[in-house]
Amino acid sequence: MFAADDVCELLNRRRKDPGGAVLGLATGGTPLGLYRELILRYQRNEISFATVETFNLDEYVGVAPDSPKSYHYYMRENLFQHVDIDMSLTHVPETFDVDLKSSAERFEHQIEQAGGIDLQILGIGVDAHIGFNEIGSSLGSRTRVKTLTQQTRLDNARYFDSLDEVPETALTMGIATILESQAILLMATGSQKSKAIRDSVEGPITASVPASALQLHPDVTLVIDRAAASGLVNIDYFLRAERNRAVASRSS
Ligand code: PGA
């Protein structure tokens, strides 16, 4: 699996470094396969998380960290409790019973203290949000509270008992925070993401399409299936470029 290979390469390369690898993590349906694969590779002794520090993109405001609806819970359930990670080195934005502005500043500071994020995993929303940077998010934004679009609330209602229960706001890394990562891996599957992928890759850079800001980053890899790629006008070119990249990496 391509995404897992990338993460494992980073973990093994940084294993002996003081501080270890710094991984940016995402939630939602898309990265679940990646987390399952990482757990398998850990169980096969191919990787260790012992020195890995992690930062999650976002967390809902007003959802307790022990609630099954929270992203704290999601990360424990889907990755952390299955591997040898040091929980004190895992950071999911704190949004419950805290001052949100101070929490956002602390989160940014912790990323800086860790030496920055080596590899940020991203999903993408149907409206092309990354993290919870919704349409209109400043391309210079940092960690802060954002209001979720109705589209995002509808998309995420499947995790709640009703739409009314879906929070209105979340604390999210900003677009500038994400762009400071050394490398970015954006994953997307399914035709419902095809417009977001097309607009982000082939459209103009605009706050109306938050993921289009990734065009400014020198090291972004898209791991997407055929359905998510189906809107790309230049798909033939991208497939040829991908083949050439594979040939170049085999001969280097
Ligand atoms: P999904 O969410 O992986 O559940 O589709 C992606 C996102 O909203 O960033």
Side-chain angles (χ1 to χ4, degrees), residues 13 44 57 75 90 99 101 104 108-109 120 123 127-128 135-136 143 155 157-158 165 170 173 182 213 252:
R13 177 162 41 88
R44 294 200 299 255
L57 284 166
M75 287 313 306
T90 68
D99 177 76
K101 194 159 182 294
E108 288 276 341
H109 184 66
Q120 176 67 55
D127 61 0
I135 45 170
T143 304
D155 289 343
R158 64 188 193 276
E165 232 190 72
M173 271 188 212
Q182 280 291 316
S252 65

Side-chain angles (χ1 to χ4, degrees), residues 26-32 57-58 71 74 122-132 152 155-156 158-159 187-189 192-193:
T27 51
T30 308
L32 285 173
L57 284 166
D58 44 24
Y71 288 160
Y74 171 107
L122 290 181
I124 186 169
V126 169
D127 61 0
H129 68 217
I130 44 175
F132 274 131
T152 298
D155 289 343
N156 291 2
R158 64 188 193 276
Y159 299 113
M187 305 172 74
T189 57
Q192 72 282 9
K193 300 289 174 69

Side-chain angles (χ1 to χ4, degrees), residues 38-52:
L38 291 177
I39 292 165
L40 280 176
R41 293 188 189 194
Y42 163 74
Q43 288 167 346
R44 294 200 299 255
N45 279 327
E46 291 170 18
I47 48 169
S48 166
F49 289 80
T51 59
V52 176

Side-chain angles (χ1 to χ4, degrees), residues 45-102:
N45 279 327
E46 291 170 18
I47 48 169
S48 166
F49 289 80
T51 59
V52 176
E53 183 154 11
T54 65
F55 291 91
N56 264 81
L57 284 166
D58 44 24
E59 176 60 288
Y60 293 116
V61 170
V63 176
D66 56 357
S67 158
K69 315 284 160 61
S70 75
Y71 288 160
H72 281 80
Y73 186 94
Y74 171 107
M75 287 313 306
R76 281 197 303 275
E77 280 291 301
N78 293 304
L79 182 63
F80 295 159
Q81 71 180 16
H82 304 286
V83 296
D84 61 342
I85 202 158
D86 175 349
M87 284 302 288
S88 71
L89 294 178
T90 68
H91 309 276
V92 181
E94 295 299 333
T95 57
F96 196 70
D97 269 351
V98 291
D99 177 76
L100 294 168
K101 194 159 182 294
S102 315

